[in-house]
Amino acid sequence: MKKQKMTYLSSGMVGLAGLVLMGLQTNDAQAATNGTVNYADGATTVWTSPAVGQKPARYLATNQQVTIQDTKQVYGQTWYKLGNDEWVSSQFITAGDATAQPAATTTAVKNTVTANFQSGATTVWADTTAAQPTGEYLTYGTTKNVIDQKDLNGTTWYQLESKGWIPASYVVLNNPNLDGVTPITNAPAVTPVAATTTTTEVQAPTAPQATTPAPATETPAPAATTEATTPAATTTQPAQTQTTTTTQSSQQTTQAATTQQAPQTNTTTKASGNAQTVINAALSQIGTPYVWGGSTPGVGLDCSGLVQYAYAQAGVSLGRVTTAQEGAGQRVSLDNLQPGDILFWGGAGASYHDAIYIGGGQYVHAPQPGESVKTASISSYFMPSFAVRVL
């Protein structure tokens, strides 16, 4: 009898321990963050690293469920770790309970935008500074839902469900069939706008409504777009008015950039446009086939033809071949690249390939026969030899 009681007691203790272990395992499982792939226009790449030099590890399908183990900030973007050497940009993953997402998206009627640029793909940007592409591109006729809208310095920006931003000049609002709309064939210039919180500085209110076009025509544009909140722009030209007073910080930063246009550049080519216009024009040609000697946008381009076309949209005339384009500006270190710089492969005077740096360790180029214009990441497997800054 005593032995039987000991057996019951032991089994009870084991059962209690099992319940405790089950509770611990449940808590561990709930501690992980779930996510759902939200990119619907193709497969989403899982990279071996969020830094430059990464390789594709695998691909995810739309609505595929993943587990987010960790996060990391790289070049101002958030990356999710899905496993060992597996990283995906947060813009392609919706974090949280996937079952609650459909109900949230059907509770309200959403505005839509439809891409109206016919000569290439339309870039979706990480924010309204238009400095960092998200990697998402809209082909002509593609329709997306809008979740937010901003009107800054006369430019309207729409935020998509992927959290990326797109300028209104490339899309049509609430007209998915593009009825009665003439397609855009030339890439419109995009005015970068940085939204900041600097609103306390008040100076002489003499020019609150300066309407000078935001792209500074003879000023290195990357400095104006990537460092829009630094006051250095107003110190380079003491002869100009420094009364850049606004109640909206985005207008303040744009006007500060435009007061910089007096200093002339020392490059051999006149900088009559800005780097962002160059980048927009180059990215608009994504999907255009590589054609050796090609210089027709939307039909066929080779590497130097793409560079020549993109700079022409900013009013800068470049030579037709890579060796001629080497002398268009001043040499810069590969460790000090700015968006809009031209990357070259091969020795000086004998380069065989070039591309346009777009920031974040990426560039856009026309690779080789059989491929189309696309973006790529700088890596040790195909490292540029040198770079030239034109703007």
Side-chain angles (χ1 to χ4, degrees):
M1 183 62 180
K2 181 181 293 185
K3 184 176 181 180
Q4 187 176 11
K5 287 183 180 180
M6 289 296 294
T7 301
Y8 291 155
L9 181 59
S10 298
S11 62
M13 293 176 65
V14 171
L16 179 59
L19 289 174
V20 172
L21 288 175
M22 289 175 61
L24 291 175
Q25 291 172 355
T26 301
N27 290 337
D28 288 342
Q30 291 174 347
T33 302
N34 295 324
T36 306
V37 178
N38 58 37
Y39 185 56
D41 292 335
T44 296
T45 305
V46 179
W47 300 95
T48 56
S49 168
V52 173
Q54 71 272 59
K55 299 179 185 178
R58 60 188 176 101
Y59 301 91
L60 304 176
T62 305
N63 294 325
Q64 183 172 339
Q65 303 298 303
V66 296
T67 300
I68 301 171
Q69 299 180 0
D70 197 2
T71 61
K72 186 175 184 179
Q73 291 288 327
V74 178
Y75 296 118
Q77 287 189 331
T78 300
W79 286 73
Y80 290 147
K81 181 180 181 181
L82 306 185
N84 291 332
D85 297 328
E86 291 189 343
W87 294 85
V88 176
S89 175
S90 63
Q91 296 170 6
F92 303 108
I93 302 289
T94 300
D97 187 1
T99 59
Q101 187 65 23
T105 58
T106 57
T107 54
V109 177
K110 294 183 181 294
N111 289 325
T112 63
V113 289
T114 303
N116 191 38
F117 183 55
Q118 196 174 48
S119 300
T122 298
T123 305
V124 179
W125 300 97
D127 52 40
T128 57
T129 63
Q132 178 66 42
T134 64
E136 180 182 4
Y137 303 93
L138 307 185
T139 56
Y140 176 72
T142 301
T143 299
K144 294 290 184 179
N145 288 331
V146 174
I147 62 173
D148 196 6
Q149 175 181 333
K150 289 183 179 180
D151 295 299
L152 304 170
N153 288 342
T155 300
T156 299
W157 290 82
Y158 297 117
Q159 187 178 34
L160 310 182
E161 289 181 331
S162 62
K163 305 302 182 183
W165 291 86
I166 196 165
S169 55
Y170 280 81
V171 296
V172 176
L173 184 66
N174 295 330
N175 187 355
N177 295 323
L178 298 176
D179 295 330
V181 178
T182 302
I184 300 170
T185 55
N186 294 321
V190 176
T191 302
V193 178
T196 67
T197 57
T198 307
T199 58
T200 57
E201 183 178 353
V202 177
Q203 298 177 356
T206 57
Q209 280 297 99
T211 56
T212 306
T217 58
E218 293 187 351
T219 301
T225 57
T226 59
E227 296 291 337
T229 58
T230 168
T234 60
T235 63
T236 59
Q237 187 172 302
Q240 295 284 346
T241 178
Q242 295 182 358
T243 57
T244 315
T245 304
T246 63
T247 55
Q248 296 181 0
S249 57
S250 59
Q251 188 174 10
Q252 179 182 23
T253 55
T254 302
Q255 291 171 351
T258 60
T259 62
Q260 235 182 348
Q261 51 187 103
Q264 300 289 329
T265 58
N266 294 322
T267 61
T268 58
T269 301
K270 268 193 175 182
S272 57
N274 74 0
Q276 196 56 59
T277 300
V278 172
I279 293 172
N280 292 342
L283 291 175
S284 75
Q285 294 304 305
I286 287 179
T288 298
Y290 178 96
V291 174
W292 187 86
S295 57
T296 306
V299 177
L301 295 167
D302 63 8
C303 62
S304 56
L306 172 67
V307 173
Q308 184 187 49
Y309 162 76
Y311 269 88
Q313 306 316 298
V316 179
S317 178
L318 297 183
R320 177 60 186 83
V321 296
T322 59
T323 51
Q325 292 171 1
E326 290 178 17
Q330 57 185 359
R331 291 276 290 268
V332 294
S333 169
L334 294 175
D335 296 326
N336 191 32
L337 294 174
Q338 293 181 356
D341 290 348
I342 305 177
L343 305 176
F344 291 91
W345 284 258
S351 58
Y352 60 87
H353 185 66
D354 62 357
I356 296 173
Y357 184 67
I358 61 176
Q362 293 187 310
Y363 56 87
V364 57
H365 69 151
Q368 60 186 358
E371 296 191 50
S372 301
V373 175
K374 63 181 181 180
T375 60
S377 297
I378 295 177
S379 70
S380 58
Y381 300 100
F382 192 53
M383 179 64 68
S385 305
F386 62 95
V388 168
R389 182 164 301 153
V390 179
L391 298 174

